[in-house]
Amino acid sequence: HLQNQNTMEFRNLCCIIFSIVTLSINAQTQLWGTAQFGGVGGTGIIWMSEGDGSNIHTVYSFVNSSGANPWGNLALANNGKLYGVTFAGGHCGGVCYRFDPLTGVYSDIWDFCNPTFGYGAYSGMYNATDNKLYGLCPYGGANNKGTIYRIDPQTEVYVDVYDFSDSSGQQPWGGLIQSIDGKLYGLTRMGGLHNAGTIFSFNLSNNTYSDLFYFQDSLGVGPLGSLLQGSDGKLYGMTKDGGSGNWGAIFSFDPVTNNYFVLYDFDRTHGAYPYGGLIQANNGLLYGLTENGGANNKGVFFSFDISTNTYLDLLDLDGATNGATPLRSVMQGSNGKLYGIIWHGGINDKGIAFSYDITNNIFTKLIDFHSLQCSEPDCDIIETPILTGINSIQNNQRVNIFPNPATNTLTISGEENQIIDFFDVLGQKINSTKLNALNKTTLDISSFPNVFFAKTMSGVKKIIRVSDY
């Protein structure tokens, strides 16, 4: 069953053992996300952290000419590269891009210049079982109602595979998921029989599109997020509006029987207007966020038990302390904790990243974003197995290398004379430095790659070089 966007790929990649400078390096995890603004040029960043959410830092600052203001999730393709979208920049207005997490190399692979192929992609891409990436554009296409597009990571060719029309759903706003039946499933915020949105499927084997359900009034209106396939095989999602109080609803849909049920009507007191989607954690509960409502009218973080139809408001967002106006979904890391971002709020009112421990119900703010680093993150976080887990050199060992992440210089100190070698991710030596005992050495790393390794008498340390963080 689908628990997150790239579960199968993650499990397969977690079995890979990398070798750097003849030392075994286990593939552990990192978290990745984007932010619309901030960075060197103020047009957004890609950020990364360790698997527990610590050490959030910038790994790439967008440049307007090759894409600006990223949103939606990053997708890990089978070639080990990350793919995403921006809503501005490039040659026209928004791009599809590739980012190599090992080398830090960014490439603009498609510019949304021809509106007949779609534009305004909002939620990134999904890596399907055919090893191709699929995404949605809410605008453009042959009928100017939106498109489904595909990118093959091997060729990086963009193909418009379906154009929405007046007779089908319009403006697909969220992302896609792949069901156990092999079909892609998604939501549109408009169109359909009542012009209130649809649930649809897309068959990859024959490129066949099907409207499965038409939203209306008390059944929910205008979904903006993505679907989730639960452990029971049903699809779960939320509508932004509609329901009994017109504050939105949680629903289930059985793709086998086409049965649709409203499970919960938001009441504003405990949340309203959910923008994102739901996830099912390993305790069986669904978790999500609403953009509005709650005690402070700044949104809520909630759980929902599908076995008892029990809704629980876990946290009322308050602005400065824990954020305001969340627009996306949460995800569950391999350590069992939930991770997410909130668009506004925090001490700088530029958004926050957070974790939530479902075993003890503890909410932890990981970072307050700010305009110089990044601001207004509008993304879903993903987890990837990247090169981590190298035996780090602790401060009480023979060598101390800091800071990490670093910008242009490293400071090195130690108790013994030795040679410290630096290697890139392919194991090629890029520098050697002699360390004199009890004397600090300053090393210029401005020409080093974004990720490199220091080999000393004590072991190997992974170092990240960034332009800002």
Side-chain angles (χ1 to χ4, degrees), residues 342-359:
I342 297 177
W343 186 44
H344 274 165
I347 61 175
N348 304 303
D349 198 26
K350 299 298 182 182
I352 69 166
F354 71 91
S355 67
Y356 185 82
D357 192 329
I358 63 176
T359 62

Side-chain angles (χ1 to χ4, degrees), residues 280-295:
Q280 186 175 32
N282 56 15
N283 61 4
L285 299 180
L286 306 184
Y287 291 87
L289 296 155
T290 70
E291 179 264 348
N292 209 308

Side-chain angles (χ1 to χ4, degrees), residues 294-350:
N296 306 298
N297 203 30
K298 297 182 182 298
V300 304
F301 175 57
F302 67 87
S303 68
F304 185 81
D305 190 332
I306 60 176
S307 65
T308 61
N309 282 359
T310 301
Y311 177 94
L312 184 60
D313 178 355
L314 299 172
L315 180 69
D316 292 292
L317 303 181
D318 62 8
T321 303
N322 51 35
T325 321
L327 300 181
R328 296 287 180 168
S329 310
V330 296
M331 57 81 71
Q332 186 170 33
S334 57
N335 62 3
K337 292 184 179 180
L338 306 183
Y339 294 90
I341 58 92
I342 297 177
W343 186 44
H344 274 165
I347 61 175
N348 304 303
D349 198 26
K350 299 298 182 182

Side-chain angles (χ1 to χ4, degrees), residues 44 62 98 113 123 156 274 282 290 323 328 394 400 426 431:
F62 283 85
R98 173 193 359 104
C113 290
S123 288
E156 295 187 339
N282 56 15
T290 70
R328 296 287 180 168
Q394 304 300 321
N400 187 20
L426 299 178
N431 188 276

Side-chain angles (χ1 to χ4, degrees), residues 4-24:
N4 58 42
Q5 180 168 333
N6 288 308
T7 303
M8 295 182 65
E9 286 80 3
F10 292 165
R11 290 176 178 172
N12 291 337
L13 284 172
C14 282
C15 297
I16 297 174
I17 298 178
F18 294 91
S19 178
I20 300 292
V21 294
T22 72
L23 294 173
S24 295

Side-chain angles (χ1 to χ4, degrees), residues 195-254:
N195 197 31
T198 67
I199 300 173
F200 69 85
S201 67
F202 186 76
N203 193 328
L204 296 181
S205 63
N206 55 18
N207 289 348
T208 300
Y209 173 94
S210 299
D211 277 331
L212 303 176
F213 178 79
Y214 302 117
F215 292 99
Q216 64 170 320
D217 303 328
S218 63
L219 298 180
V221 173
L224 295 175
S226 302
L227 291 165
L228 155 81
Q229 186 157 44
S231 56
D232 57 3
K234 295 179 182 178
L235 304 178
Y236 293 87
M238 299 187 288
T239 65
K240 178 182 178 292
D241 300 296
S244 62
N246 204 32
W247 305 114
I250 299 173
F251 65 84
S252 69
F253 179 79
D254 191 327

